[in-house]
Each structure stands twice: as C-alpha cells, then as structure tokens.
C-alpha cells in the first residue's frame, strides 16, 4: 500500500501539471519473478518513473511501450517470457525463470480513479476485488469493484458479464490471491485482472516504552496501520511515534478496547508482568474475530506462567488463537537490542500473515512464491 500511495501522489501531481502519464501493472506471473501481480510502475511523459515492476530490468523496455501507448492512446498487454535458458531472447539478463504479463495504459481519469479507489478502500479498512478488463481492446481499462457481499460498483461494456464477473471476483477474494482470468460475456470472452485489495496490516503495540519506538518505526515504513496503547498519556505523542495512532486506556481494559480483526497483529510489551497478563486476559476473552498474530515479549516460561494463572481463573486460549500466540516475539536471528528485536518481530509478523515458516530461503524446496490458483 505504501508504494501505491506514492504512485497515486505522483499521478495526481502529474495530472495537476497537465502531464501525460502511463501506468504499467503486472497482471499475470508464471514461474519465478521479482515482483508479483499488482506491482505498478508510473511512467511520466518526461521519463520519470515511480514504483517498479522488476529489479530495474524491465523498466526500460516498459518505458518504451509506455511512450507508444501515450502516442496512440490505446492500452497494450505485453508479455515478457523469460523461461528460456538463454537470456539473450530478450537481452535483459534478468536471471529469472518466469513469464510476466504487463498491462500498460494511459493514465486518464478512469485509471486515476482506479488508484484512488484502492486508496479509499484501505482508508475505510474495507476488502474488495478490483476487476480490470484487459481485452478486448474496445473495453480495455474498464474497471469494476466487487465487495465481499456481492455488491458491484461500476459497469462493464459487455452485456451479460456482470454476474459472471461477480462470481469470479468473489472466488478470487476467497482465494486471497490476485490473478488474471477470463469471463464469458454475450460478446465473447473478457480477459480480466482480478486484484484483491485488502487493508494494510494493523499493528497494535501494547506498551509505549523505549523499545517500542523502533518497532513502530519499522511498521510505519512498511505502510502498516499502527496503534500504540498505553495508560501514560505523556508517552503517546507523535514526536515519539511518528505515523502512529494512540489509545490511552488502563492495561486491564486494553485487550477488550484495542482494535482487532483478521488483519491485526498485536505485540504485548509493557515490561510489567501484571500489565502484560491484563492485556492477554482481555485478548483471550474478547469475541471473534481474533488477531492473526499475538506476540508477547519476554521468555517462553514467563508467558506459560501467565497462561497457567489465567487458566486457574477460567480464562483459556480460544482454539482459533492457539496457533496465533508467539512468545518470545520474533524470528530466531540472534537479535540483540531494540532495533534488531524490532526487525525480528516485523519479519515474524509478515511470515505469520503469509503463512510461511520464516526459515532460510536456501532451505526451501518449494517455489519462493505460491503458485497462482488455476
């Protein structure tokens, strides 16, 4: 989301200057590639670039395509097939073994509205599928938003396709992975890109001590929504935690009061055993939905003691939360000091959110990226 906001700001500034721009979006990936579906590159008429769709290898060629698109005003779908052993097929020297489909379109009011819609969904903390028509050429660039309840926003030029697009988009939302697919219409097949748009991760940090500062900073850098919870008003300041929101509440009330859903990670780090236990009690007794991650700073035995004491009170871990408790916090990278611990914690949260173990990639036998659903 952070990259998208940067692209949107650059796009709005360019439009205000009357500058012609093109937007390139990865809409399909097969095999090993640097970026995945939804990665974007904004190309200004003067050659300025915002965002990226590769490690810098494809940008030059896409810039040429963008110039052609701006010249004739017609979107183009280009494929870079890098599965051949000889990189000289493209002369790009990518060293990858995959194919990338890139949709390049003039960034007109319709395209800018699509970017703004994604920003607005994130701001409203809503999930939806953004459907972009890639072909036929007459409809290319048309967009439709599909919400989880089946509500549609926008219109398709092809008759008889709305219900089919709705069903397809809802299936992609259930899968949780953006992909390119085809949908039947009265006028033939529509080639569409269905992009899953979800709010950024929300990180709730319970405890505004000194070591929370680097954790909040790393999360803000990633574009996460960050909430810092503490009972001490003097600790909850924008100067101490730039980019964060604040919740001042007694720790015994924090677990029930903090915002939490399936997009939320919670790190409990008050550095006070009783306060941590109070926060944990509130988290364990609140109704679903539960955070996807609950981390407690400190040794494992400390957390086990808390859980045993809470169990004696009749407060047990709900089954849905059992696999989501992480103590001690962070991946095992030998962290020393607040900055390294923050890095380990953020990495662990990313791994938990993606359903990955967080080990060395060199020891992973499966592909780095999960394959797109067929």
């Amino acid at each position: 989301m952070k990259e998208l906001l940067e692209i949107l700001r650059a796009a709005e500034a360019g439009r205000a200057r009357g500058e012609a721009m093109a937007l390139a979006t990865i809409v399909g990936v097969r095999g090993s590639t640097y970026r995945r579906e939804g990665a974007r590159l904004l190309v200004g008429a003067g050659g300025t670039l915002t965002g990226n769709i590769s490690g810098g290898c494809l940008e030059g060629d896409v810039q040429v395509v963008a110039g052609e698109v701006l010249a004739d005003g017609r979107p183009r779908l280009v494929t870079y097939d890098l599965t051949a052993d000889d990189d000289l097929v493209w002369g790009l020297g990518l060293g990858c073994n995959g194919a990338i489909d890139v949709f390049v379109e003039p960034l007109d009011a319709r395209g800018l509205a699509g970017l703004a819609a994604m920003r607005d969904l994130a701001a409203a903390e809503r999930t939806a599928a953004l459907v972009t028509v890639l072909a036929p050429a007459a409809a290319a660039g048309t967009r439709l938003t599909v919400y989880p309840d089946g509500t549609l926003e926008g219109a398709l030029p092809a008759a008889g396709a709305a219900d089919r697009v709705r069903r397809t988009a809802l299936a992609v939302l259930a899968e949780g992975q953006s992909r390119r697919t085809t949908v039947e219409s009265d006028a033939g097949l529509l080639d569409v890109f269905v992009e899953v748009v979800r709010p950024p991760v929300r990180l709730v940090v319970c405890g505004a001590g000194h070591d929370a500062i680097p954790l909040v900073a790393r999360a803000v850098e990633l574009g996460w929504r960050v909430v810092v919870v503490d009972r001490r008003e003097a600790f909850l300041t924008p100067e101490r935690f730039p980019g964060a929101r604040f919740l001042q509440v007694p720790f015994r009330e924090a677990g029930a009061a903090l915002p939490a859903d399936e997009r939320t990670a919670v790190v409990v780090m008050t550095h006070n055993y009783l306060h941590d236990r109070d926060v944990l009690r509130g988290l364990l007794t609140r109704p679903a939905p539960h955070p996807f991650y609950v981390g407690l700073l400190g040794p494992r035995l400390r957390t086990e003691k808390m859980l045993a004491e809470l169990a004696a009170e009749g407060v047990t871990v709900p089954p849905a939360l059992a696999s989501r408790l992480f103590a001690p916090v962070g991946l095992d990278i030998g962290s020393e000091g607040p900055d390294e611990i923050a890095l380990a914690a953020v990495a662990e949260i990313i791994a938990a959110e993606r359903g990955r173990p967080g080990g060395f990639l060199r020891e992973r036998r499966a592909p780095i990226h999960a394959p797109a659903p067929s």
Side-chain angles (χ1 to χ4, degrees):
M1 184 55 65
K2 180 182 178 183
E3 184 178 66
L4 173 69
L5 293 177
E6 292 173 351
I7 290 173
L8 181 57
R9 283 193 291 268
E12 290 175 336
R15 290 275 294 179
R17 295 191 300 267
E19 180 182 350
M21 295 168 290
L23 183 67
T25 304
I26 295 181
V27 296
V29 165
R30 296 169 297 285
S32 176
T33 62
Y34 182 74
R35 297 297 305 271
R36 306 299 291 178
E37 293 90 345
R40 289 174 168 83
L41 175 70
L42 179 68
V43 183
T48 57
L49 303 177
T50 306
N52 76 81
I53 55 172
S54 74
C57 308
L58 294 180
E59 277 73 3
D61 191 80
V62 170
Q63 193 171 2
V64 173
V65 175
E68 298 169 355
V69 165
L70 289 176
D72 61 25
R74 295 196 300 267
R76 287 182 58 184
L77 183 64
V78 292
T79 297
Y80 298 91
D81 189 349
L82 307 164
T83 56
D85 291 334
D86 188 356
D87 268 351
L88 294 179
V89 169
W90 285 100
L92 297 171
L94 290 181
C96 297
N97 189 29
I100 305 171
D101 302 324
V102 182
F103 183 62
V104 187
E105 60 183 317
L107 191 66
D108 54 15
R110 182 175 58 181
L112 192 60
L115 291 176
M118 298 178 70
R119 174 198 58 197
D120 294 343
L121 284 168
E125 302 187 356
R126 299 187 69 183
T127 296
L130 184 65
V131 181
T132 302
V133 178
L134 309 177
T142 303
R143 287 180 171 83
L144 185 73
T145 303
V146 182
Y147 294 94
D149 64 0
T151 302
L152 302 180
E153 283 185 3
L156 295 173
D163 284 341
R164 297 186 183 100
V165 167
R166 187 202 320 267
R167 290 195 297 270
T168 299
L170 291 176
V172 173
L173 278 174
E175 295 162 358
Q177 186 172 340
S178 305
R179 62 184 172 98
R180 180 183 173 190
T181 187
T182 56
V183 178
E184 292 184 3
S185 75
D186 293 352
L189 288 179
L190 293 178
D191 187 355
V192 299
F193 174 50
V194 185
E195 184 171 8
V196 177
V197 182
R198 294 182 294 180
V201 167
R202 178 196 289 115
L203 174 63
V204 178
V205 179
C206 297
H210 176 75
D211 56 347
I213 293 174
L215 175 59
V216 170
R218 299 293 84 74
V220 170
E221 286 173 357
L222 290 171
W224 291 359
R225 302 166 290 165
V226 182
V227 180
V228 183
V229 182
D230 204 288
R231 61 191 177 90
R232 300 164 294 184
E233 182 179 7
F235 281 49
L236 302 177
T237 67
E239 293 76 22
R240 188 174 176 84
F241 298 106
R245 294 169 47 213
F246 306 113
L247 177 62
Q248 183 189 358
V249 65
F251 288 118
R252 65 179 177 276
E253 301 174 12
L258 59 82
D261 55 24
E262 294 285 348
R263 298 292 297 157
T264 299
V266 180
V267 176
V268 183
M269 49 189 305
T270 72
H271 292 285
N272 180 294
Y273 180 87
L274 298 179
H275 293 337
D276 281 3
R277 190 180 63 187
D278 284 342
V279 174
L280 184 58
R281 180 189 294 106
L283 285 169
L284 296 182
T285 55
R286 64 180 293 145
H290 300 293
F292 71 85
Y293 175 99
V294 176
L296 291 99
L297 201 68
R300 179 181 295 104
L301 290 177
R302 181 177 186 268
T303 298
E304 291 176 351
K305 181 182 178 184
M306 285 184 201
L307 292 172
E309 290 173 357
L310 291 173
E313 299 176 14
V315 177
T316 58
V317 180
L321 265 180
S323 63
R324 306 183 188 188
L325 285 177
F326 293 80
V329 165
L331 296 183
D332 182 8
I333 60 173
S335 303
E336 294 288 345
D339 291 296
E340 292 183 1
I341 292 171
L343 183 63
V346 166
E348 183 176 64
I349 292 168
I350 293 173
E353 194 260 335
R354 307 279 167 82
R356 300 291 283 267
F360 293 112
L361 281 176
R362 69 179 184 184
E363 297 176 359
R364 181 177 174 83
R365 295 296 171 255
I368 294 175
H369 300 288
S374 59

